[in-house]
Amino acid sequence: LAKTTQPISMDSYEGQEVNITCSHNNIATNDYITWYQQFPSQGPRFIIQGYKTKVTNEVASLFIPADRKSSTLSLPRVSLSDTAVYYCLVGDFYNFNKFYFGSGTKLNVKP
Amino acid sequence: EPEVTQTPSHQVTQMGQEVILRCVPISNHLYFYWYRQILGQKVEFLVSFYNNEISEKSEIFDDQFSVERPDGSNFTLKIRSTKLEDSAMYFCASISTNSYNEQFFGPGTRLTVL
């Protein structure tokens, strides 16, 4: 499993766009990138997943450069309720046996 | 929307006692997982389960731990003789092969070992 590195914490203000970058230098050909959000005392919740280029859904965008050694989760116009820990996971598309959660990024959105 | 459920939400036990944590994964899911999260720390993989057997387990998942899917709906984690350091949130998760790697997590069981 490719190891991931994320900033430990980030601060933002309501209404701003937030970009959280994850480094995964040892990503393998079959690996895809998934981001989860976790609120205190709750289980992680899937946000977005991608393999390359850009993926967008109703809550976020995921940018993956051509070398795939990093990825950036973009949250548009954050609100106080987006305060949470965000985890980047890298895993084999065909292997569901194990998933590694890194330390995550604690996003603190201020009013 | 279907969801993963876990019971109990909070379990308090004495050191050395056995505990069983219960999970009901989403009905058409095929892969099941247990994770733990010690307060303030990251989510740690414990074990994965597919086709009625363990697929992979971490070094945390020692002989004190076991998993079972006794009746086709429940998925349980047993800790035979709890230690103080087993105090944590335990999350169950499941995956459908129709949504690759989108794990659906339950709300967790907070285990407190005294």
Side-chain angles (χ1 to χ4, degrees):
Chain A
L1 291 171
K3 187 174 170 59
T4 59
T5 304
Q6 302 174 235
I8 293 173
S9 65
M10 293 180 69
D11 288 335
S12 180
Y13 290 93
E14 281 192 291
Q16 288 188 330
E17 178 185 78
V18 170
N19 296 308
I20 305 174
T21 297
C22 178
S23 175
H24 28 80
N25 290 319
N26 296 323
I27 192 167
T29 303
N30 285 343
D31 287 346
Y32 57 90
I33 299 138
T34 310
W35 286 79
Y36 286 83
Q37 174 192 57
Q38 186 183 29
F39 297 114
S41 298
Q42 294 187 27
R45 185 175 71 100
F46 173 90
I47 301 174
I48 198 166
Q49 181 181 93
Y51 183 79
K52 60 181 178 181
T53 63
K54 178 183 174 183
V55 180
T56 297
N57 62 21
E58 61 276 8
V59 298
S61 295
L62 178 59
F63 298 92
I64 306 167
D67 67 6
R68 305 201 323 122
K69 292 183 183 300
S70 66
S71 58
T72 299
L73 174 72
S74 181
L75 304 171
R77 297 179 300 281
V78 294
S79 64
L80 295 177
S81 62
D82 292 316
T83 293
V85 178
Y86 293 82
Y87 294 97
C88 159
L89 276 71
V90 173
D92 190 316
F93 194 78
Y94 300 104
N95 184 344
F96 303 135
N97 290 335
K98 185 174 183 178
F99 297 93
Y100 173 79
F101 281 77
S103 299
T105 298
K106 173 75 169 68
L107 173 65
N108 183 28
V109 181
K110 303 175 184 177
Chain B
E1 184 176 313
E3 58 182 19
V4 176
T5 59
Q6 290 185 243
T7 54
S9 57
H10 192 188
Q11 173 92 46
V12 180
T13 190
Q14 295 290 326
M15 190 169 57
Q17 294 295 304
E18 174 184 287
V19 294
I20 297 176
L21 310 183
R22 291 183 165 79
C23 168
V24 179
I26 296 172
S27 62
N28 63 345
H29 286 192
L30 300 177
Y31 289 83
F32 313 111
Y33 309 85
W34 282 102
Y35 293 85
R36 82 170 184 191
Q37 187 173 34
I38 295 169
L39 186 63
Q41 298 187 23
K42 65 182 181 183
V43 177
E44 298 176 288
F45 169 83
L46 290 178
V47 66
S48 58
F49 193 85
Y50 171 72
N51 201 26
N52 284 320
E53 60 183 27
I54 291 174
S55 301
E56 188 146 351
K57 57 185 180 180
S58 72
E59 60 277 5
I60 303 169
F61 194 89
D62 61 21
D63 291 345
Q64 293 300 312
F65 291 88
S66 63
V67 289
E68 198 176 33
R69 189 156 159 81
D71 56 13
S73 62
N74 290 286
F75 179 50
T76 62
L77 174 70
K78 182 193 290 187
I79 309 174
R80 287 190 185 77
S81 178
T82 50
K83 307 183 190 71
L84 295 176
E85 55 265 36
D86 292 326
S87 295
M89 282 288 284
Y90 288 81
F91 295 107
C92 171
S94 65
I95 278 183
S96 161
T97 53
N98 291 331
S99 55
Y100 295 108
N101 292 318
E102 180 178 348
Q103 294 183 79
F104 291 80
F105 282 80
T109 293
R110 179 172 299 283
L111 177 64
T112 301
V113 182
L114 303 176

